[in-house]
Amino acid sequence: MRILKNVLLGLGSLFGLLVVLAIVMGISSAHFKTQQTPFVTRFVTDLSRHWELADVYDRLSNTFIEQAGSAQGRQIMQRLRTLGALRSLQDLELRNYSMTTTGTTAVFSFKGTFETDAALVTVTVLKTSGAVRVLAFHLDPIPGRNLPSLPRTQT
């Protein structure tokens, strides 16, 4: 009987710890979303003005810069220019959130309306030591719209 009591106490403690961890992650992700939403919207707005990486270079990760500098990355940026500037965004949400020893990574998603079309925009950011950098940027066509399907890349 004593062993069963200890096992149940251990399981109860573990369950309580998991509940506390879930609450902390929920609060932390909500706070992160509140803090980084202006960064994400400003990034997409600035990038879409001319679709030039130089406009947002200081907010990009090194990996992103390397991929965007490739032939395929330059071709994608050229195709994105046809969209024009971002006019509005709707339904911004935090899709994925993780905290590790190397930093906090989050995936933001929203429906963006551009000058010539609309698309589902996904932006992945990494916050390390107070600096926030964009790891990935992706556009998916919205069914029924004119945006041509783009190859799936991190650029």
Side-chain angles (χ1 to χ4, degrees), residues 27-42:
I27 292 170
S28 179
S29 67
H31 182 67
F32 190 84
K33 179 182 178 188
T34 302
Q35 278 187 325
Q36 300 310 320
T37 294
F39 173 85
V40 170
T41 57
R42 195 169 41 249

Side-chain angles (χ1 to χ4, degrees), residues 117-155:
D117 210 345
L120 179 64
V121 180
T122 306
V123 180
T124 305
V125 298
L126 172 66
K127 181 177 182 182
T128 56
S129 305
V132 181
R133 298 282 184 248
V134 174
L135 293 176
F137 174 80
H138 185 76
L139 292 169
D140 280 317
I142 295 177
R145 299 296 199 142
N146 297 324
L147 182 67
S149 182
L150 298 171
R152 192 129 179 95
T153 65
Q154 295 251 335
T155 306

Side-chain angles (χ1 to χ4, degrees), residues 37-93:
T37 294
F39 173 85
V40 170
T41 57
R42 195 169 41 249
F43 170 79
V44 177
T45 301
D46 292 349
L47 177 62
S48 71
R49 275 196 195 112
H50 302 103
W51 292 101
E52 291 290 338
L53 292 180
D55 296 341
V56 293
Y57 190 83
D58 59 329
R59 293 173 260 179
L60 302 174
S61 69
N62 291 337
T63 306
F64 187 101
I65 293 167
E66 288 173 15
Q67 289 181 356
S70 70
Q72 184 182 18
R74 288 190 303 275
Q75 180 184 22
I76 290 171
M77 293 304 292
Q78 186 65 34
R79 289 175 66 189
L80 290 176
R81 282 188 180 90
T82 63
L83 286 174
L86 179 69
R87 292 293 176 221
S88 67
L89 59 95
Q90 304 83 34
D91 306 328
L92 181 89
E93 61 183 37

